[in-house]
Amino acid sequence: MSEKPRLTYINGRGRMESIRWLLAAAGVEFEEIFLQTREQLLKLGQDGSLMFHQLPLVEIDGMKLVQCRAILSYIAGKYNLYGKDLKERALIDMYVEGISDLMQLILMFPFSPPEAKEKNIATISEKATERYFPVFEKVLKQHGQDFLVGNRFSWADVQLMEAILAVEEKVPSVLSGFPQLQAFKTKMSNMPTIKKFLQPGSPRKPPPDENYVATVMKIFKLD
C-alpha cells in the first residue's frame, strides 16, 4: 500500500486549501505537517526540500512537489479528474485559471487593512457576479449536464465549489441570481467525498483569522 501524501504548510487555508480540496474530492487521505516558525521554513530550504524555497510542499509518489499549479495538475491527472483528452483538459485548465483569479482576491483579503475590507468585499462580489460566475452559469445551462466538462466530475468542479463557498462566506447572497450554480452547489455538496470534507473535523480549514495572518507574516517575513 502506498504512503499517504504528506502536505507541509501552515495550519490554515492559504495556497494549500485547493490542494486539500482536490485530494479530499478524490477520496484520498493525507497527512499534514504545520510549520510554526520561520526557522522550520528555512530548514526545509536548506535540506533541499523546497525547489524554489516556497510552500506549499506536497510529498507524493516519491516526489517533493512545489508550485500549486504543478501539484494540482498532478493530483488531477493521477486521480482521473483531468478530462478524457487534450480538449477537455484545455477546458478544465481554462476554467481553473479563471477561478484562480477570483480566489486570489479571497486569498489576499485577510491581509488587507481594516479600512479596506468593506471595499474589498464589494470588489469580490462584483468580480464574482459580473465576471466569473456568469461564465459557469452559462456553461451549465448550455449543456444541461451536472458537471462543467465532459459530463464527468473534474478538477474544475472541485475548484468552482471551493470558490462558491469561499465567496459565500463574504457575500452570503452571491448565488441569488444564479440558479444553475445553486443546483450545482447542492449536487456537489451531496457527493460523498465532498460531503465528508464539509463535515466538522475534516482537514478543511476555517476562514483565516488574526492568528493565521500573524503566523503567515512571521514565517514568510512579510511585515
Side-chain angles (χ1 to χ4, degrees), residues 38-52:
R38 180 159 178 80
E39 288 67 35
Q40 289 173 310
L41 175 65
L42 294 175
K43 187 175 185 303
L44 279 174
Q46 290 160 2
D47 291 347
S49 294
L50 299 179
M51 186 177 289
F52 301 109

Side-chain angles (χ1 to χ4, degrees), residues 37-222:
T37 67
R38 180 159 178 80
E39 288 67 35
Q40 289 173 310
L41 175 65
L42 294 175
K43 187 175 185 303
L44 279 174
Q46 290 160 2
D47 291 347
S49 294
L50 299 179
M51 186 177 289
F52 301 109
H53 297 271
Q54 293 174 317
L55 295 177
L57 165 67
V58 173
E59 297 171 75
I60 184 172
D61 295 340
M63 298 185 293
K64 293 183 177 182
L65 296 179
V66 295
Q67 299 296 325
C68 295
R69 179 61 199 241
I71 296 167
L72 287 162
S73 59
Y74 182 80
I75 293 167
K78 178 178 174 68
Y79 297 107
N80 299 313
L81 297 171
Y82 212 176
K84 71 177 187 300
D85 55 33
L86 275 175
K87 286 185 177 180
E88 287 193 357
R89 185 168 292 192
L91 282 174
I92 290 168
D93 284 341
M94 195 163 57
Y95 294 156
V96 163
E97 288 292 326
I99 299 163
S100 297
D101 291 344
L102 176 59
M103 288 300 292
Q104 181 66 19
L105 298 175
I106 301 282
L107 194 68
M108 297 311 298
F109 178 81
F111 301 94
S112 57
E115 65 271 15
K117 290 199 183 298
E118 189 174 331
K119 180 185 176 187
N120 289 345
I121 286 177
T123 299
I124 290 167
S125 178
E126 178 189 346
K127 297 285 188 186
T129 57
E130 295 182 15
R131 179 178 297 184
Y132 296 105
F133 287 176
V135 169
F136 300 109
E137 180 78 6
K138 183 178 179 182
V139 168
L140 291 167
K141 187 173 183 179
Q142 281 184 336
H143 64 38
Q145 298 166 347
D146 290 345
F147 306 111
L148 288 171
V149 178
N151 201 23
R152 57 186 283 187
F153 187 46
S154 78
W155 173 18
D157 300 304
V158 180
Q159 193 106 339
L160 179 56
M161 181 63 179
E162 180 192 2
I164 286 171
L165 296 185
V167 175
E168 281 188 329
E169 287 173 353
K170 304 283 183 289
V171 189
S173 63
V174 72
L175 289 188
S176 60
F178 301 99
Q180 298 292 332
L181 289 181
Q182 290 174 30
F184 173 86
K185 176 190 165 188
T186 300
K187 288 168 191 163
M188 290 297 110
S189 299
N190 287 313
M191 290 192 66
T193 55
I194 291 181
K195 189 173 185 177
K196 182 180 178 183
F197 189 61
L198 295 177
Q199 297 301 312
S202 86
R204 186 183 181 215
K205 302 298 179 271
D209 58 13
E210 291 180 4
N211 289 334
Y212 169 78
V213 171
T215 302
V216 170
M217 301 291 277
K218 177 180 69 174
I219 292 177
F220 295 109
K221 217 169 182 180
L222 299 178

